[in-house]
Amino acid sequence: MGAGMGEIHVKVDALRREIEKHNYFYHVLDAPNITDADYDRLMAELQEWENKYPELVTPDSPTQRVGGALREGFVTIRHTVPMLSLANAFGAEELREFDRRVRSALDDQPYDYVVELKIDGVAVSLVYRDDLLARGATRGDGEYGEDITANLKTIKSIPLRLRQPVSALEVRGEIYMSKESFLDLNRRREEGGEALFANPRNAAAGSVRQLNPAVTAGRNLSIFVYAAGAVELPSGEAPASHEEALKLLDRLGFRVNPHHQVCADIDEVISYCSLWAEKKAELPYSIDGLVIKVNSLAQQARLGATMKSPRWAVAYKFPTEEAETTVRDIMVSVGRTGVITPTAILEPVTVAGSTVSRASLHNEDIIREKDVGIGDRVVIHKAGDVIPEIVRVLKDKRTGDEKKFHMPRACPACGAEAVRQSGEAAYRCTGAACPARLLEGMIHFSSRGAMDIAGMGPAVVTQLVNSGLVKDIADIYLLTAEQLTSLERFAAKSAENLIRAIEDSKNQPLHRLIFALGVRHVGERAARILADYFEDIHLLMDAQMEELTAIPEVGPKIAESVTAFMRENQNRELIRRLIGCGLNVSAQDRPATGRQEHALAGKTLVLTGTLPTLKREEARELIESGGGKVTSAVSKSTDYLVAGENPGGKYDKAVKLGVAIIDEKELLQLVPGVAR
Ligand code: IVH
């Protein structure tokens, strides 16, 4: 075993280094040198080795970036050197004052400055010991911060291992979210009816302080480092200036912002600041000013610090750019998921480098809170330099001709009822046939958990919708092979296959159809409960709140959503059309999902490894149709582990805990008579 393990060790180590090299190229140098697919393959290979030999997992393994366990809170740490903040300078005159203070404190010694971008994010401290990231913490109050190591490890531009040996090092930098990722995150949150982040800084701050590191991992954060504490290099060399320190950080594998400049005097500093005041809108991330630092580290030490901030540095803050304009109108639009968003149409005005003619008002509550009406004079700015936003209404400029705005009760795209559910800020269109929602609705309808129409993925659905061949979901059941072959890249064979798959989907069980309709809050499980209870779509169509909420596991949220959906004429019409196309809408002739459903009632099962015939999703469905529940981790409360080939760590855990282990055949016997 010894020699074998040795070889594996070397192999896994090489794999790890290779993956981290690609990470470095992609996330630090912004120069990817491998395709995503190849990268994923390397990661999968490493993960497989580590699953098999958990003792080989190292703290700097790229697999350690994915997240780890949920925590209850953060541990408070004390910074070895306090994390100070910076004094501000507004305008050229205050920069000259700062320079005069530096000059007199240095007794007219010659000195120069380094000017850097002031990244608008959250400050963190990274402590490395023996080349490895040992701890990452927030700034906190400057003296005490919070240990957020697990979250910071998910940020791929933070090296887990330094590229050169260093026995001890503390690095400081700014975690930020790019403008693009921020807009994207807010778009998703808006669609999900969640509260929005006001600017990229708040988004970054909220993301690094997540108790679940997996959430941080999904937030696309990045870092720029801007300071090194005491460095202990084996060569004994030490940087003499801030500029040299930045070069060293770059060599050690950190991401250093390329936009910085050594300036010989304050005039150069001022012109570099004005340059960025002009150009800041072009950056893919937001900055709220520049930081001016005395370059020589010896001179920094000589200048020292006050209680709050160093005397050798100052933050030049851009003036906040605001503009006054008039709200011409408030319009509403429907997004792909049916969320109805109000937008203020503004008298065009220039702010922060571009013309602004609209500003999202997000939802009803925000309109009420800001008290914005049509015709109001308002002050606008760009939040985080990105999003045009109404800051306040100039109420003393009101003439009395302004009009109050009310959210429409009907969808502007299809006229269906717009509903605001309790606990949500957004109004949503309830029309399943709404053209604004058609694409998303059809992709969901044909997806695997729903009607499972093979060959009808997002690309084909997009083609069908764009070509005008389908105008609502029921239209897919009227498609012919000839129509399909008239589309680009559609061969006769694939057209035939798709028509057959569409035809087959008519026989899907009722619960899949209910799920496929895309009723909000009705996921796969709720759809199954509704199908089991009503056994016929007609009965579900006429269900009332009281009846729905009386069903175990159906709460008011689901009930409210189902009744709103079924009230809407276009949805009833759609269901009628689907029935007319010959879809199965009843559960009665399928005793398998009814009578036998309790074979696994109350049982918890875990799946592991590759099963001989069932796919993961199918096995899960089978278990759920028998009344059982599938969870992802083995614990004492697991009733059965269903194990296939290459079962991995869950198998060992089940053995250890004495959990019953069964194979696919035994599973099929446990849930007999299920129509498959
Ligand atoms: S130096 C002791 N450099 O600005 C001085 N700070 O108000 C340490 N910041 O807390 C800060 N970009 O979060 C420095 N290039 C940069 C920076 C920067 C952003 C932030 C940092 C700090 C705050 C100071």
Side-chain angles (χ1 to χ4, degrees):
M1 171 134 187
M5 271 316 279
E7 268 166 40
I8 291 169
H9 205 297
V10 170
K11 188 179 161 61
V12 171
D13 210 51
L15 193 53
R16 230 173 246 146
R17 278 170 198 275
E18 158 126 38
I19 294 171
E20 272 307 311
K21 186 185 77 194
H22 294 307
N23 261 342
Y24 175 70
F25 271 85
Y26 188 104
H27 295 280
V28 178
L29 302 184
D30 294 325
N33 61 351
I34 186 174
T35 65
D36 287 358
D38 285 342
Y39 180 86
D40 291 345
R41 216 165 294 135
L42 292 176
M43 273 300 276
E45 193 183 333
L46 176 62
Q47 190 69 64
E48 214 169 281
W49 281 111
E50 290 187 350
N51 285 348
K52 214 157 162 188
Y53 302 104
E55 68 274 20
L56 291 187
V57 180
T58 57
D60 65 325
S61 174
T63 58
Q64 300 307 295
R65 290 189 182 275
V66 290
L70 189 75
R71 285 143 310 164
E72 290 191 343
F74 298 108
V75 173
T76 302
I77 57 92
R78 187 184 180 143
H79 296 294
T80 36
V81 180
M83 289 182 79
L84 301 179
S85 64
L86 294 171
N88 290 327
F90 297 93
E93 198 31 54
E94 293 191 16
L95 282 175
R96 289 188 197 283
E97 266 168 42
F98 163 74
D99 182 54
R100 279 193 286 274
R101 287 196 299 274
V102 169
R103 176 177 322 237
S104 89
L106 290 179
D107 284 334
D108 291 322
Q109 267 182 1
Y111 58 93
D112 57 3
Y113 292 112
V114 175
V115 185
E116 291 168 358
L117 302 185
K118 187 168 187 299
I119 314 295
D120 202 7
V122 267
V124 291
S125 139
L126 304 171
V127 173
Y128 288 81
R129 270 184 228 114
D130 297 327
D131 318 337
L132 294 180
L133 175 64
R135 193 194 75 194
T138 60
R139 173 172 182 271
D141 64 4
E143 190 180 357
Y144 293 94
E146 284 173 325
D147 186 330
I148 51 164
T149 315
N151 292 354
L152 293 180
K153 277 187 166 181
T154 69
I155 299 172
K156 300 218 177 84
S157 46
I158 296 181
L160 300 180
R161 175 185 287 275
L162 300 175
R163 294 175 71 79
Q164 280 179 29
V166 177
S167 51
L169 168 70
E170 191 201 349
V171 172
R172 290 177 180 182
E174 197 85 350
I175 303 285
Y176 71 94
M177 189 180 284
S178 74
K179 293 175 184 171
E180 193 186 350
S181 298
F182 163 69
L183 291 172
D184 203 50
L185 173 64
N186 261 359
R187 209 172 294 131
R188 277 184 281 136
R189 290 175 73 90
E190 185 141 35
E191 285 175 355
E194 292 171 89
L196 301 184
F197 288 112
N199 51 49
R201 172 167 31 85
N202 289 8
S207 303
V208 292
R209 290 195 72 261
Q210 287 288 330
L211 289 172
N212 182 357
V215 176
T216 313
R219 289 285 171 86
N220 218 352
L221 298 168
S222 201
I223 192 169
F224 281 121
V225 303
Y226 51 67
V231 202
E232 290 172 32
L233 288 173
S235 60
E237 76 176 295
S241 67
H242 183 63
E243 193 196 4
E244 282 173 28
L246 292 180
K247 287 202 176 111
L248 173 64
L249 288 171
D250 178 76
R251 284 201 302 279
L252 292 177
F254 291 100
R255 194 150 175 264
V256 175
N257 193 290
H259 306 299
H260 59 261
Q261 184 165 295
V262 178
C263 293
D265 57 37
I266 201 69
D267 288 322
E268 273 186 34
V269 168
I270 291 167
S271 56
Y272 194 64
C273 290
S274 338
L275 176 79
W276 279 108
E278 289 296 313
K279 284 210 311 183
K280 69 175 195 301
E282 296 166 19
L283 290 167
Y285 42 84
S286 24
I287 59 173
D288 60 339
L290 289 100
V291 183
I292 295 96
K293 300 175 179 175
V294 169
N295 194 6
S296 148
L297 298 186
Q299 288 177 334
Q300 284 187 7
R302 187 166 167 199
L303 287 156
T306 67
M307 287 288 286
K308 286 210 316 252
S309 49
R311 290 195 195 87
W312 46 263
V314 75
Y316 167 78
K317 290 297 209 51
F318 294 127
T320 40
E321 288 184 62
E322 291 186 338
E324 195 184 312
T325 183
T326 304
V327 178
R328 279 186 179 165
D329 200 356
I330 295 177
M331 310 253 280
V332 288
S333 59
V334 206
R336 290 177 300 134
T337 57
V339 170
I340 298 174
T341 310
T343 303
I345 309 300
L346 306 166
E347 201 83 57
V349 61
T350 305
V351 58
S354 69
T355 306
V356 171
S357 53
R358 47 209 299 141
S360 177
L361 289 165
H362 306 297
N363 59 51
E364 188 174 46
D365 294 347
I366 291 188
I367 296 180
R368 208 170 288 155
E369 198 181 294
K370 293 197 168 148
D371 192 14
V372 184
I374 299 166
D376 265 330
R377 287 293 284 172
V378 292
V379 172
I380 64 162
H381 79 159
K382 276 202 200 148
D385 239 14
V386 212
I387 304 187
E389 194 176 69
I390 294 182
V391 185
R392 60 185 176 276
V393 174
L394 301 168
K395 290 186 190 152
D396 47 0
K397 294 205 175 170
R398 281 187 174 158
T399 62
D401 292 338
E402 296 77 17
K403 277 196 294 219
K404 230 180 158 54
F405 170 79
H406 298 282
M407 281 296 283
R409 296 296 188 265
C411 167
C414 74
E417 189 184 357
V419 171
R420 178 178 177 179
Q421 287 209 322
S422 34
E424 289 196 358
Y427 274 86
R428 285 170 192 272
C429 163
T430 55
C434 175
R437 298 177 53 197
L438 181 60
L439 191 67
E440 198 85 347
M442 280 214 8
I443 291 171
H444 171 72
F445 186 84
S446 49
S447 68
R448 279 185 69 189
M451 299 304 270
D452 195 13
I453 306 178
M456 206 155 113
V460 170
V461 171
T462 309
Q463 248 183 320
L464 290 172
V465 171
N466 289 349
S467 67
L469 280 179
V470 298
K471 294 206 169 52
D472 90 9
I473 289 170
D475 284 349
I476 61 172
Y477 290 102
L478 306 176
L479 285 170
T480 62
E482 292 72 55
Q483 283 176 320
L484 291 181
T485 42
S486 74
L487 297 174
E488 225 174 288
R489 294 188 303 275
F490 240 106
K493 186 81 195 142
S494 44
E496 238 172 73
N497 288 345
L498 183 53
I499 295 292
R500 187 159 340 105
I502 292 173
E503 194 57 31
D504 287 350
S505 75
K506 292 181 179 173
N507 295 321
Q508 289 288 12
L510 176 62
H511 65 85
R512 277 178 171 261
L513 175 62
I514 295 175
F515 174 59
L517 287 173
V519 184
R520 197 157 151 71
H521 301 307
V522 178
E524 286 179 77
R525 185 160 171 75
R528 208 179 276 277
I529 293 167
L530 294 171
D532 285 350
Y533 182 87
F534 290 101
E535 296 190 333
D536 192 299
I537 197 111
H538 295 92
L539 296 178
L540 178 64
M541 284 167 85
D542 295 328
Q544 300 301 312
M545 275 303 278
E546 306 74 54
E547 188 178 10
L548 284 160
T549 45
I551 306 172
E553 288 193 68
V554 176
K557 215 160 92 174
I558 294 178
E560 226 182 276
S561 189
V562 169
T563 47
F565 186 92
M566 294 302 180
R567 239 190 346 254
E568 184 54 50
N569 254 333
Q570 59 170 271
N571 298 340
R572 300 181 77 83
E573 186 51 37
L574 171 68
I575 295 172
R576 275 187 220 113
R577 286 192 62 207
L578 291 172
I579 297 171
C581 292
L583 267 72
N584 165 52
V585 291
S586 117
Q588 260 151 10
D589 52 347
R590 288 167 194 275
T593 53
R595 196 162 29 81
Q596 301 270 355
E597 78 182 317
H598 298 305
L600 286 174
K603 299 268 188 273
T604 302
L605 290 84
V606 174
L607 297 164
T608 185
T610 316
L611 300 178
T613 69
L614 293 177
K615 293 196 190 102
R616 260 300 148 103
E617 213 26 59
E618 292 170 333
R620 169 191 293 275
E621 203 165 285
L622 178 71
I623 292 166
E624 288 176 354
S625 73
K629 198 170 91 186
V630 178
T631 60
S632 57
V634 175
S635 73
K636 276 195 296 221
S637 51
T638 308
D639 293 294
Y640 297 105
L641 177 76
V642 185
E645 232 181 296
N646 298 326
K650 292 183 192 171
Y651 190 94
D652 302 337
K653 188 145 183 217
V655 172
K656 216 158 92 194
L657 295 175
V659 170
I661 299 171
I662 59 172
D663 60 13
E664 180 185 294
K665 219 167 95 199
E666 289 164 299
L667 173 67
L668 289 164
Q669 282 163 0
L670 276 176
V671 199
V674 168
R676 297 204 43 78

